[in-house]
Amino acid sequence: MAQVHTSNSLKSLISISLMTAVLGLAACTPTHPDVKARQDVMKNYGDAAKIMGGMVKEPDTFDIDVFKEQAAFLDSESKTPWSHFEDTEAVGNAKPEVWSDNPGFISASEDFQKAAAELNMVAQNSTTLEEVKPAFGAVGKSCKSCHDDYQVKKDD
């Protein structure tokens, strides 16, 4: 027996097709290159911090060589994303304060770079988790402070 399409099933099919097309277009909309660049760097920061943070939370997993590697990476990359905040059209998740309080934002970025450099220096000269914990904590505080002041929260 042939299936009869009702008006409701046709409307549903059209609605689903339109939603799919809209979602497809949204997915194809290019992200501003500066936003993408800084998000990529920040994701890499987060990945390194997760590795080190996992060791801090679970001391049995502490591997000083891996910690040193991640600290060196974070230090070397700490200078990378800031040039990608110059274009006021490249908003992304940045609050307007990035530009309206640019001296404060620059200061926060410099604080992060100093904290990352300190963590790297401590890590390269340490053998225990207890020696690196305070410097790792300072990096975390620096990240949080900047995100609190200059990043749009996901629920905003």
Side-chain angles (χ1 to χ4, degrees):
M1 174 173 253
Q3 186 174 5
V4 176
H5 293 282
T6 64
S7 174
N8 284 341
S9 64
L10 188 56
K11 286 180 186 175
S12 295
L13 182 61
I14 291 171
S15 294
I16 290 170
S17 297
L18 285 173
M19 284 185 358
T20 302
V22 168
L23 291 174
L25 287 174
C28 293
T29 303
T31 301
H32 191 287
D34 282 336
V35 172
K36 173 125 177 60
R38 66 187 189 228
Q39 286 175 344
D40 289 347
V41 172
M42 298 288 179
K43 182 190 179 311
N44 291 338
Y45 286 174
D47 292 345
K50 283 178 188 173
I51 291 169
M52 292 182 284
M55 291 182 210
V56 169
K57 288 179 184 172
E58 296 182 36
D60 292 344
T61 65
F62 182 69
D63 180 329
I64 189 61
D65 293 328
V66 172
F67 199 96
K68 286 178 180 183
E69 178 182 288
Q70 297 305 311
F73 169 78
L74 195 62
D75 181 24
S76 70
E77 291 295 304
S78 69
K79 298 149 193 74
T80 304
W82 315 114
S83 65
H84 298 288
F85 283 96
E86 293 171 0
D87 183 349
T88 59
E89 299 295 314
V91 177
N93 292 336
K95 286 183 178 178
E97 288 83 350
V98 167
W99 297 279
S100 66
D101 177 27
N102 197 253
F105 179 70
I106 290 169
S107 177
S109 73
E110 290 169 349
D111 290 346
F112 170 72
Q113 291 173 58
K114 288 175 191 170
E118 177 69 17
L119 173 62
N120 186 37
M121 185 196 69
V122 169
Q124 300 310 319
N125 296 296
S126 297
T127 58
T128 69
L129 178 59
E130 293 307 313
E131 292 172 316
V132 297
K133 269 184 171 180
F136 179 73
V139 168
K141 281 183 182 179
S142 175
C143 289
K144 182 179 179 339
S145 172
C146 194
H147 286 189
D148 286 349
D149 294 341
Y150 300 105
Q151 181 186 36
V152 174
K153 294 178 185 30
K154 298 214 189 285
D155 58 334
D156 279 359

